[in-house]
Amino acid sequence: MPTSLTASKPTPGKPRCVIVEDHLMFRELLGALLEAEGLVEVVAVARTAREGSKACELHRPDLLLLDLALPDGNGVAVARTLAKCNPAACTIIVSGEADTFRCPPALKSQVYSIVDKTRAFSILRSEVAGLVRQLVGGHAVRPETSSLSPREIQVFELVGHGLTSKEIAEKLHISHQTVETHRRHIGSKLGIGASALVSRAAIHNLTSRIERQP
Amino acid sequence: MTQGLQPVSALSHRTVTKKTPFSSPGASFRMVPPEPDMPHDSSTPPPTSLPCSEEAWQLLENLPLPVLIASLHENARVIFLNRQFTATFGYTIEDIPTKEDWARLAYPDPAYRNEVFAKWDDAVARAIREHGSVEAMEFQVTAKDCTLRDTLFHATALGDTLQVTLTDLTARRTAERELMSTRKKLERAAYEVTENIPVGTYTLVLPLGGAMAKFSFMSSRFLELCGLERQAAEENPFNAFACVHPEDHAEWVRKNAESFEKKIPFSEECRVVANGVTRWIHAESVPRDLPDGSIVWEGVLTDISRRKTAEAELAASEARLQKILNNIPIPIALNDARGDSPITFLNETFPRAFGYTLDDIPTVEAWARLAYPDAEYRAETFGIWNAAVEEAARTDGIVQPMEAHVIAKDGSHRDVIISAALFDDMLLVAFVDITARRQAEENLRLAREKLQRTAYELTSNIPVGTYVLEFDLGGTPRFTFISERWLAMLVLRREEVLADPSLAFSAVHPDERAAFHRLNAEVFAEKRPFFWEGRIVVQGRIRWVSIESIPRNHPSGGTIWEGVMIDITNRKTAEAELAAIREQECKNEARLRDDLERKLRTSLTAAAVAHEINQPLSRILLTSELVLENQQASSSSDPKLSGFLRELATDARSIVSTIETMKSLIRNTETAHAPLDLLEIIDSAILYGGPFAREADASISFHRPARAVRLAGDADQLQIALNNLLRNAIEALDGVGPENPRFVCVELREGLRQIELVVGDSGPGLLETGAEGPLAKSSKPNGSGLGLFIVRTAAENHGGRLEIGRSALGGAEFRMVFPKGNGK
């Protein structure tokens, strides 16, 4: 385990991580959890917000595991510091008050997820793993369907399955014209033309299936 | 011929009696001056050519006219000058021995001299030629003292001599010149006066025979008034008519023509427009016959604009006055105070008030007859009135107002107050109709009488007891008035109270009696108003009453207390009830407050406890899970330990779940209300639900509105509720096969009156969607059923509700519906 505020030599290929947690045991446990997975390299751990900010400035980590209730204030300050020194970095908040945490709008793109401390073991590892996959493969992105309405999602899914507008209309018990309107809206929201819509939907469908594979 | 002639000067010194210059009439003679030194009795005979006797010379010498005799030959030697000549002109014969000398001295101006002698010599030559007299001629002679003398020369040639008689006309000519000068001055003055008087004057001559009339005189003012140039008027006198105002022109020309034709004086007023200014003028013209048969019209034009303006103003002022009088809402009449007192004006209100018009009442007498048909009353009224008018005439002109009873044209009776003011001989009379007031006064009097009559009844019927209690000087009380109501309130009989006034106090509640008497004594001593509220006991029943009494002095020296007693039992009861309610309310409020405080305290404590438990619990959980994982990975794992660890983790998770639910329930017991943006809550809840969704291979979509959706509410409560809905939806996808989409969709629908926060899923949906169905029990095999309860409570805490239905995605749909602008 590296010392908290000493810049370490980065291991090539592994995202670098800073843990900010005031409770010693939990801090050690989190460290152990991540080490065991071997997905990230923990470059520094900090006990306070001040230490956390310093560590972020020093190491400019790719990932920040952040507790909110710190002895010297709210952990959000550390996330802000990281956003400044490494705008591409991601933060996973690990907190006992995760269910009532409201993410400041400025940090929305930076905060990848919020994990309840009591679910650290089950969720945190998969979250970190998912994030690392995205970090290594490129930028963390939101699913492309996140801006679509329920009906649009249905239409998008069915287009991906290779159904025609007429077939979709029959399946959803709506008019052909309505399906066409949905397709137009989907294209507009995803920034693609009518012809690209079919291929994009097919790719989405395929990716989802692959991801769902156990 | 000149020999023997004595110098004239010498002659002048000689006695006149000795001279004999005259010859007999018709005889030829020469003018020979007498020898100066020669006495008249000298022997030398006088020149033969002077056949004069001494008497003749004497006569010539003393003639009161200057006489000169000169020779017609011998260089026209002057032969003789008489005394008057020298006296008049100063010259002696020595000064003017010859004609030439005379000419030089008498006419020093050579030009004049030549002119004089050209005429004279010519006349003399003609006279000699015709044997007649030289025609009389007047010349201006310069005397020796250099004065100028107007002199008339008469001359006759007598033989070789020329006898010249000179008449000094200087005085006359001077007078004549002065007269002429004075005349000229006078003419000038007359002209100037004519020109400068403020009226225009002219003289128009109509020649005999119908030739065109012509102005022989026009004063500048005349031209100015007519706006004419002198030349234009002289060329055509009718130009003077051009200035007459177009509206007056026709009449003006007609009148002029009439006057000219009939030769009668003309006098007219009209408007003239000259140089853009309109004036009123008055023209007057009088004809006069001239000896030659022509007619002269001498005229005067006077500018009367000011008078006309004043007249117009006066007329306007009169019209205004009349208008004012007409608009005054009281009848007004104007009558002449002289003669038979004609009424000259009635304002418009007058006929409306009395019905009479000027035709009905042309005189005051007519008015008197109609308005006061009763002769006696009329005489009485007018007696007073006339006296008042006379008094006004003597003093300030204001007639003392009087009241009278007038009969209107329709026969109705009117009470009026008549007031008047005297202006010179004009009486302005105003009538104020007080009929209604008199009627009102009468009605009031009747009402008062009625009121007095019913006062007693009223007093006894009003729902309060009244009384009048009199104390004489000795302090003995006596009721002088007691209302029935008062007696009834105390259940007393009139006679017994009158007999014993102290009975009135006997009903006072025993507990209050001492205080009541004390207050009575104080108030009585200080003679100030009495007020008491308290209990009385009547026939065993307690009543609340208020007694109020006000003192006033009795003429006899005692005091009168007029009092009122009101039963206020109902009010007191109501007050007591109100007080009890208030007290109860206060208690309730205090209890609620305590309750809330207790709840809050509990909530905070519980939250703190939950947090405190969660902290070590999460460590236990993480540790046990890590160790278990290590155990399972290790070759030398202890199955027993693994079992314990698994059990520990399961228990811990169970505790976590319970605490979470507990926390949520506690959180819902108190609802804070602060402005919030639902989008922020949804974003955060989706972020929180993200790991669960990913764990379940599901994706959460949010159809996001463009702008913030505001609500007043408890952000934590709503976020926890939404967390529950999302978790619920994600868990519902457990039953979905890998072929089907795994979607959770969040929507925010903003209507006019409500906001819907909707969570739908593509799961299998609810089997039972009854109102209580899904909320009453858990929709999941191991759920506590409290998740939806928490959601519903949160919605209700915000004045909203939870609705359940089917989602477009195929699964269930949960809608938290909030009223808009609820504030709570």
Side-chain angles (χ1 to χ4, degrees):
Chain A
M1 180 76 72
T3 50
S4 63
L5 292 173
T6 314
S8 59
K9 216 177 181 179
T11 309
K14 271 193 186 175
R16 298 156 70 255
C17 175
V18 167
I19 299 170
V20 183
E21 165 63 55
D22 61 328
H23 202 279
L24 173 67
M25 188 178 169
F26 202 80
R27 191 164 66 232
E28 294 294 333
L29 286 169
L30 279 179
L33 185 72
L34 294 182
E35 296 259 308
E37 286 296 308
L39 292 171
V40 295
E41 182 189 358
V42 179
V43 292
V45 290
R47 293 163 301 169
T48 62
R50 195 164 160 272
E51 281 180 11
S53 293
K54 275 195 171 179
C56 287
E57 283 167 354
L58 186 66
H59 299 286
R60 300 178 65 208
D62 303 302
L63 172 64
L64 171 68
L65 284 195
L66 180 66
D67 186 14
L68 290 174
L70 296 171
D72 59 344
N74 197 308
V76 171
V78 186
R80 288 190 208 281
T81 308
L82 178 61
K84 276 183 201 159
C85 54
N86 184 9
C90 287
T91 300
I92 294 175
I93 288 168
V94 185
S95 168
E97 297 155 2
D99 59 346
T100 52
F101 170 72
R102 272 178 296 285
C103 184
L107 295 177
K108 257 168 73 179
S109 61
Q110 187 202 339
V111 177
Y112 177 75
S113 72
I114 306 166
V115 178
D116 204 294
K117 271 184 177 176
T118 54
R119 294 189 171 81
F121 181 80
S122 56
I123 289 179
L124 186 60
R125 279 202 303 191
S126 61
E127 284 299 290
V128 172
L131 178 61
V132 168
R133 266 205 304 280
Q134 287 184 19
L135 284 174
V136 173
H139 285 291
V141 286
R142 288 175 174 276
E144 59 188 343
T145 54
S146 65
S147 63
L148 303 184
S149 75
R151 196 53 114 178
E152 285 162 359
I153 289 166
Q154 276 184 312
V155 173
F156 190 57
E157 287 277 336
L158 295 171
V159 171
H161 279 87
L163 270 69
T164 63
S165 289
K166 195 182 168 192
E167 289 165 336
I168 295 168
E170 280 169 7
K171 191 173 174 73
L172 296 178
H173 308 291
I174 54 176
S175 74
H176 179 259
Q177 190 60 42
T178 310
V179 177
E180 286 301 316
T181 307
H182 284 309
R183 291 182 75 142
R184 215 167 40 248
H185 286 170
I186 295 163
S188 166
K189 284 183 180 177
L190 301 181
I192 51 174
S195 55
L197 180 64
V198 181
S199 56
R200 179 72 70 86
I203 293 164
H204 174 77
N205 185 29
L206 194 64
T207 319
S208 303
R209 279 162 182 260
I210 293 164
E211 279 177 359
R212 278 179 220 145
Q213 294 299 318
Chain B
M1 248 176 94
T2 56
Q3 76 264 27
L5 244 166
Q6 298 291 310
V8 175
S9 59
L11 185 68
S12 64
H13 294 295
R14 287 163 67 169
T15 47
V16 178
T17 52
K18 289 184 180 170
K19 300 297 172 190
T20 54
F22 248 111
S23 58
S24 58
S28 166
F29 72 92
R30 288 182 184 214
M31 203 191 285
V32 181
E35 187 57 50
D37 298 324
M38 183 174 66
H40 66 279
D41 56 348
S42 97
S43 57
T44 310
T48 53
S49 55
L50 279 171
C52 303
S53 63
E54 179 66 22
E55 286 75 21
W57 283 109
Q58 204 71 32
L59 188 68
L60 279 177
E61 179 70 10
N62 290 309
L63 210 64
L65 282 171
V67 175
L68 178 149
I69 300 172
S71 171
L72 286 171
H73 309 289
E74 306 169 61
N75 290 327
R77 188 171 59 91
V78 174
I79 299 166
F80 175 75
L81 293 178
N82 74 351
R83 190 181 296 174
Q84 189 60 36
F85 187 97
T86 305
T88 305
F89 300 107
Y91 301 116
T92 61
I93 200 147
E94 285 81 18
D95 299 321
I96 47 171
T98 64
K99 178 188 166 192
E100 197 186 323
D101 296 317
W102 162 253
R104 186 172 37 79
L105 292 171
Y107 309 103
D109 177 27
Y112 185 59
R113 191 191 310 148
N114 290 340
E115 184 191 334
V116 167
F117 277 96
K119 284 183 183 172
W120 177 255
D121 289 343
D122 186 47
V124 169
R126 194 166 53 245
I128 292 169
R129 206 167 44 243
E130 293 172 2
H131 305 288
S133 298
V134 177
E135 64 179 287
M137 282 186 193
E138 190 176 329
F139 298 117
Q140 204 164 47
V141 172
T142 304
K144 196 176 181 179
D145 63 1
C146 293
T147 58
L148 290 171
R149 299 300 170 116
D150 293 301
T151 310
L152 185 68
F153 288 80
H154 286 93
T156 309
L158 289 173
D160 292 337
T161 60
L162 189 67
Q163 186 181 323
V164 185
T165 310
L166 300 95
T167 311
D168 186 357
L169 297 177
T170 309
R172 200 171 109 195
R173 290 285 174 261
T174 305
E176 280 174 0
R177 271 195 296 274
E178 276 174 11
L179 187 66
M180 186 64 73
S181 163
T182 307
R183 259 193 205 142
K184 281 185 178 164
K185 276 184 191 162
L186 203 61
E187 276 172 13
R188 173 125 215 104
Y191 176 78
E192 280 174 6
V193 166
T194 318
E195 282 298 287
N196 290 321
I197 51 172
V199 295
T201 54
Y202 65 90
T203 309
L204 185 71
V205 181
L206 277 148
L208 186 67
M212 196 168 99
K214 201 169 167 57
F215 280 113
S216 66
F217 174 79
M218 287 173 282
S219 74
S220 302
R221 180 63 177 158
F222 169 79
L223 292 168
E224 187 195 325
L225 285 172
C226 296
L228 280 175
E229 292 294 329
R230 191 172 289 279
Q231 199 186 340
E234 278 169 354
E235 280 167 6
N236 183 356
F238 292 103
N239 282 339
F241 291 161
C243 63
V244 176
H245 193 279
E247 288 175 19
D248 300 346
H249 196 267
E251 179 67 7
W252 178 261
V253 170
R254 194 187 64 74
K255 289 269 176 67
N256 255 296
E258 191 185 337
S259 283
F260 276 139
E261 196 184 317
K262 296 182 181 170
K263 236 167 77 180
I264 50 169
F266 173 83
S267 176
E268 276 302 314
E269 287 177 2
C270 77
R271 283 168 293 173
V272 294
V273 185
N275 303 321
V277 180
T278 303
R279 288 197 185 91
W280 272 96
I281 57 149
H282 178 225
E284 272 183 297
S285 180
V286 179
R288 182 160 59 85
D289 288 321
L290 286 186
D292 65 355
S294 52
I295 304 161
V296 172
W297 289 84
E298 284 170 326
V300 175
L301 245 59
T302 316
D303 186 344
I304 54 163
S305 301
R306 280 194 184 171
R307 196 195 84 202
K308 280 286 179 185
T309 311
E311 279 174 5
E313 279 172 5
L314 188 66
S317 167
E318 277 175 2
R320 266 202 304 281
L321 177 68
Q322 222 165 65
K323 195 176 171 190
I324 290 168
L325 291 177
N326 271 333
N327 285 313
I328 289 176
I330 56 171
I332 286 176
L334 270 173
N335 73 268
D336 202 322
R338 295 166 301 183
D340 57 352
S341 305
I343 296 174
T344 54
F345 171 79
L346 296 177
N347 74 348
E348 287 172 4
T349 318
F350 194 96
R352 283 204 294 272
F354 300 119
Y356 301 117
T357 63
L358 264 182
D359 292 337
D360 302 320
I361 47 168
T363 62
V364 173
E365 201 271 326
W367 158 253
R369 212 165 5 84
L370 291 170
Y372 309 97
D374 181 75
E376 201 177 322
Y377 180 65
R378 180 164 68 232
E380 182 196 340
T381 307
F382 271 87
I384 299 168
W385 179 252
N386 291 336
V389 173
E390 278 166 27
E391 174 65 19
R394 275 197 302 277
T395 55
D396 57 355
I398 303 297
V399 181
Q400 192 66 32
M402 67 177 281
E403 195 176 327
H405 192 70
V406 171
I407 307 297
K409 197 176 178 179
D410 63 1
S412 61
H413 292 239
R414 299 298 166 89
D415 289 308
V416 291
I417 290 177
I418 309 172
S419 46
L422 203 54
F423 302 102
D424 297 328
D425 292 318
M426 196 57 76
L427 195 63
L428 187 144
V429 192
F431 301 79
V432 179
D433 191 336
I434 53 162
T435 314
R437 200 172 87 194
R438 286 281 171 270
Q439 190 58 48
E441 282 170 3
E442 178 62 14
N443 290 346
L444 192 66
R445 193 183 58 77
L446 291 173
R448 270 197 195 130
E449 271 178 16
K450 196 176 173 190
L451 194 68
Q452 275 167 8
R453 265 201 316 279
T454 55
Y456 184 82
E457 295 163 26
L458 274 168
T459 316
S460 36
N461 288 327
I462 51 172
V464 297
T466 53
Y467 64 89
V468 179
L469 186 60
E470 280 185 22
F471 286 83
D472 63 16
L473 279 171
T476 309
R478 182 173 68 90
F479 279 104
T480 56
F481 175 82
I482 302 168
S483 77
E484 293 298 329
R485 177 77 180 163
W486 189 88
L487 291 167
M489 283 165 81
L490 295 172
V491 196
L492 289 170
R493 287 204 310 279
R494 192 176 292 276
E495 311 80 63
E496 57 185 8
V497 184
L498 290 177
D500 180 9
S502 70
L503 280 175
F505 306 125
S506 62
V508 176
H509 194 283
D511 291 354
E512 305 198 33
R513 206 167 286 160
F516 179 82
H517 286 302
R518 199 164 50 244
L519 180 66
N520 253 302
E522 273 173 30
V523 166
F524 187 76
E526 293 169 24
K527 255 198 210 176
R528 62 175 165 87
F530 171 86
F531 180 79
W532 178 75
E533 264 189 20
R535 288 165 295 171
I536 55 170
V537 186
V538 181
Q539 292 185 328
R541 283 171 60 210
I542 296 174
R543 307 289 298 172
W544 277 88
V545 293
S546 76
I547 300 172
E548 202 170 354
S549 180
I550 294 164
R552 64 184 165 87
N553 291 328
H554 193 276
S556 68
T559 317
I560 302 168
W561 293 81
E562 286 167 330
V564 175
M565 181 164 70
I566 305 168
D567 188 331
I568 55 166
T569 309
N570 288 345
R571 196 193 87 198
K572 280 285 175 187
T573 311
E575 276 175 6
E577 281 170 6
L578 198 66
I581 290 166
R582 274 198 195 132
E583 196 183 344
Q584 190 58 42
E585 271 177 1
C586 284
K587 276 182 189 166
N588 288 348
E589 213 171 283
R591 202 180 60 236
L592 275 171
R593 204 167 46 241
D594 287 349
D595 217 29
L596 280 173
E597 276 172 10
R598 194 163 38 75
K599 268 187 185 171
L600 197 59
R601 206 164 40 242
T602 312
S603 305
L604 290 172
T605 312
V609 167
H611 184 72
E612 287 309 307
I613 294 169
N614 264 358
Q615 286 292 343
L617 200 60
S618 50
R619 290 195 290 275
I620 293 167
L621 204 53
L622 189 55
T623 310
S624 60
E625 282 167 331
L626 275 171
V627 174
L628 181 63
E629 195 179 49
N630 283 340
Q631 272 287 314
Q632 285 167 342
S634 161
S635 52
S636 57
S637 66
D638 181 352
K640 205 173 174 186
L641 179 62
S642 295
F644 284 149
L645 285 170
R646 206 172 287 119
E647 220 169 287
L648 181 67
T650 307
D651 286 350
R653 269 197 288 274
S654 172
I655 294 168
V656 164
S657 176
T658 308
I659 287 173
E660 208 166 66
T661 308
M662 192 186 79
K663 246 171 79 179
S664 298
L665 288 170
I666 291 166
R667 196 64 197 75
N668 277 10
T669 57
E670 281 303 302
T671 309
H673 289 283
L676 55 89
D677 179 5
L678 277 176
L679 295 186
E680 197 184 338
I681 288 168
I682 295 166
D683 285 338
S684 299
I686 290 175
L687 203 55
Y688 179 71
F692 301 102
R694 284 188 281 276
E695 196 178 32
D697 266 342
S699 61
I700 304 172
S701 73
F702 175 37
H703 189 53
R704 193 187 171 84
R707 57 185 183 86
V709 179
R710 309 259 175 220
L711 195 74
D714 192 316
D716 284 356
Q717 247 185 51
L718 294 176
Q719 193 171 336
I720 290 168
L722 186 55
N723 288 341
N724 272 291
L725 285 179
L726 287 174
R727 286 280 298 282
N728 209 46
I730 291 163
E731 284 167 13
L733 296 175
D734 281 352
V736 175
E739 291 300 310
N740 293 319
R742 301 165 71 82
F743 279 119
V744 172
C745 188
V746 182
E747 275 185 282
L748 200 50
R749 300 172 191 156
E750 194 174 3
L752 280 173
R753 291 196 182 81
Q754 58 185 33
I755 297 164
E756 290 183 14
L757 175 54
V758 185
V759 179
D761 61 67
S762 58
L766 295 163
L767 294 174
E768 191 186 349
T769 53
E772 291 299 313
L775 296 179
K777 57 184 197 291
S778 174
S779 55
K780 299 183 290 286
N782 52 356
S784 63
L786 285 169
L788 287 179
F789 173 76
I790 289 165
V791 176
R792 193 182 68 181
T793 318
E796 285 169 357
N797 284 346
H798 289 79
R801 61 186 186 276
L802 178 66
E803 289 179 353
I804 298 155
R806 180 163 285 276
S807 166
L809 291 171
E813 180 179 274
F814 292 88
R815 295 183 295 273
M816 288 175 85
V817 183
F818 305 105
K820 246 186 168 178
N822 59 340
K824 291 197 171 187

